[in-house]
Amino acid sequence: MTIDVSGLPGRRSTALAGALCLVLAAASPAPAAADPGTPAGAPPGVCDTGSPGQAPLPGTALSATRLQGGFNFLEGPVWIAGAGQLLVSDMGPAAGAQQVQPSTIHRLAPPARVGTFVAASGSNGLALSPDGQQVIAATHDNRTVSAYRLSDGSRTVVASGYQGRAFNSPNDVTVRADGVVYFTDPNFQRGRRADEMGGRTNVFRVVNGQVSLVDGSLRQPNGIALSPDGRVLYVGAYGENRIYAYAVQPDGSTGARTVFASIASPDGVTVDCAGNVYWVSNGEGRVHVFSPAGVELGTISSGAGATNAAFGGSGRRTLYITGGRSGDYGVYGIELGVPGYPY
């Protein structure tokens, strides 16, 4: 997910690109995997049983329609089906002595702005808990991963640090059906706060409140997603222009990485229920669509500064894309052939 650093001194006024929730022990139990020897996949109701019959794209070079605008810097779209609303993080210019960006989670029903979900969320990437009752947020305000309850917006901490050290600035998040959380931790939104990660930018996993390192060698890891069957974890390394794939084990641990694809400035990501991967290129202002084998199927243009994407709408076949220029970000939409993940 991306970061707008226009408010930082000594930096050019430009947007840099840096996105179902952990069910805590105190919350209701997470759904269990059907087979203990198989990785947990999509939560119930996210993807129907069987393979979708339609082609995902009606062409190889598509354009999304701008539905809504006037935001500062949008990120982290997530579709809330029951409410028929799209939640988005809207980040303001960096402020204060530590130069940290404020953030608000808006509730949208494109093209209308419905209201505010959390006024001071400090969030970037968003996801949903497996039971759909919470939003999991990569929260840079206090350098944690947080959970916001949909019913009242109350906040709890999912992960606060690693081996006694503060994260850089959690950026994007994805969650298995059993509640295992994966998130990226570049330094785009760390501001002037101390570097407690020794110059590393990382990918982490959270299982029952315990944080483990997935990979500490990527340059500015950004978007992150799981395949619908839970067997593959995808991570975009913004600083390398590469997308990596990791084999996922039933316990949530991951194997060695392989290169899945290469695109310019890989930002947020979503997947459809056939396993196709929709990766946003911030610099190009478009979404690259790949088959599960890494074959590019086409692109979807949404203009400059695209940051992230999620499926929503009736039947979850509308791909919503956040993008624009600082001070005039918006939501774009396009109808596609295969339903997908709500974040």
Side-chain angles (χ1 to χ4, degrees):
M1 305 222 163
T2 49
I3 171 67
D4 178 6
V5 295
S6 59
L8 292 178
R11 303 292 296 268
R12 290 182 302 152
S13 293
T14 180
L16 290 179
L20 69 230
C21 148
L22 176 65
V23 178
L24 303 174
S28 57
D35 180 350
T38 302
V46 169
C47 289
D48 295 331
T49 304
S51 300
Q54 290 184 272
L57 304 179
T60 58
L62 306 174
S63 294
T65 301
R66 185 174 170 99
L67 305 175
Q68 194 166 359
F71 300 94
N72 188 69
F73 195 90
L74 292 185
E75 259 291 5
V78 57
W79 179 254
I80 309 300
Q85 295 175 358
L86 190 72
L87 301 185
V88 292
S89 294
D90 190 8
M91 296 185 286
Q98 294 184 322
Q99 289 293 282
V100 178
Q101 287 184 274
S103 183
T104 296
I105 300 178
H106 297 299
R107 296 187 293 116
L108 312 178
R113 188 185 305 206
V114 178
T116 298
F117 173 52
V118 179
S121 63
S123 61
N124 192 322
L126 307 175
L128 278 176
S129 61
D131 63 4
Q133 300 304 304
Q134 298 181 91
V135 171
I136 291 302
T139 41
H140 56 267
D141 61 343
N142 59 8
R143 303 165 77 173
T144 67
V145 176
S146 301
Y148 286 105
R149 186 164 294 280
L150 284 172
S151 60
D152 58 11
S154 60
R155 181 176 183 173
T156 54
V157 175
V158 174
S160 60
Y162 177 62
Q163 296 182 342
R165 293 169 288 160
F167 301 124
N168 291 306
S169 54
N171 189 277
D172 200 5
V173 60
T174 192
V175 190
R176 292 203 319 185
D178 59 357
V180 176
V181 171
Y182 301 87
F183 69 95
T184 56
D185 187 39
N187 61 24
F188 295 121
Q189 293 164 304
R190 194 175 66 219
R192 293 176 179 165
R193 295 172 290 186
D195 174 11
E196 297 189 22
M197 287 293 161
R200 297 195 311 179
T201 54
N202 309 289
V203 182
F204 291 106
R205 177 179 73 253
V206 190
V207 181
N208 296 326
Q210 299 299 308
V211 180
S212 302
L213 181 67
V214 172
D215 197 333
S217 65
L218 299 188
R219 286 162 42 205
Q220 304 294 19
N222 199 313
I224 188 167
L226 284 160
S227 61
D229 62 8
R231 296 177 182 271
V232 182
L233 177 71
Y234 300 104
V235 180
Y238 177 78
E240 303 173 31
N241 294 329
R242 283 184 173 178
I243 299 164
Y244 292 104
Y246 303 76
V248 179
Q249 305 304 316
D251 66 356
S253 61
T254 52
R257 72 184 190 224
T258 58
V259 176
F260 175 72
S262 296
I263 65 172
S265 54
D267 205 320
V269 56
T270 190
V271 296
D272 70 21
C273 292
N276 301 305
V277 181
Y278 297 68
W279 217 292
V280 177
S281 168
N282 178 261
E284 296 178 7
R286 58 180 178 170
V287 180
H288 291 259
V289 184
F290 299 95
S291 74
V295 176
E296 185 157 2
L297 304 178
T299 61
I300 304 168
S301 175
S302 61
T307 57
N308 215 322
F311 282 91
S314 177
R316 245 183 10 263
R317 291 175 186 263
T318 301
L319 183 69
Y320 290 110
I321 305 165
T322 51
R325 299 185 185 277
S326 294
D328 187 26
Y329 259 70
V331 175
Y332 296 74
I334 184 171
E335 296 295 315
L336 299 178
V338 176
Y341 267 46
Y343 64 85

